[in-house]
């Protein structure tokens, strides 16, 4: 798979999968009386990290095209 395709997949996962997953875990935590803050915080931190890596990767890719 090409680098551009991998970045597109990662971007789609970060935008379309992570937020509903966090909402689902928060809802289940409320429903079943467990603290979902640690799980949601961990997912959010990883998502933020990968979004930053994705942004740097895109910047470097675009800079190489010029």
């Amino acid at each position: 798979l090409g680098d551009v395709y991998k970045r597109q997949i990662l971007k789609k996962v970060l935008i379309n999968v992570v937020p509903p997953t966090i909402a689902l875990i928060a809802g289940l935590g409320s429903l079943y009386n467990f603290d979902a803050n640690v799980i949601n915080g961990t997912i959010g931190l990883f998502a933020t990290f990968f979004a930053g890596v994705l942004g740097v990767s895109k910047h470097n890719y675009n800079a190489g095209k010029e």
Side-chain angles (χ1 to χ4, degrees):
L1 297 174
D3 288 337
V4 174
Y5 182 72
K6 290 177 188 175
R7 279 194 296 275
Q8 289 173 344
I9 296 247
L10 181 57
K11 181 179 176 183
K12 287 183 183 206
V13 167
L14 288 172
I15 291 171
N16 298 318
V17 175
V18 172
T21 301
I22 290 174
L24 175 67
I25 293 169
L28 290 173
S30 178
L31 185 65
Y32 293 109
N33 295 321
F34 68 86
D35 185 17
N37 290 331
V38 173
I39 299 168
N40 285 337
T42 302
I43 293 171
L45 288 170
F46 274 107
T48 302
F49 172 77
F50 284 118
V53 169
L54 182 65
V56 170
S57 174
K58 181 178 179 183
H59 173 75
N60 290 342
Y61 178 78
N62 288 339
K65 291 175 85 174
E66 295 176 0

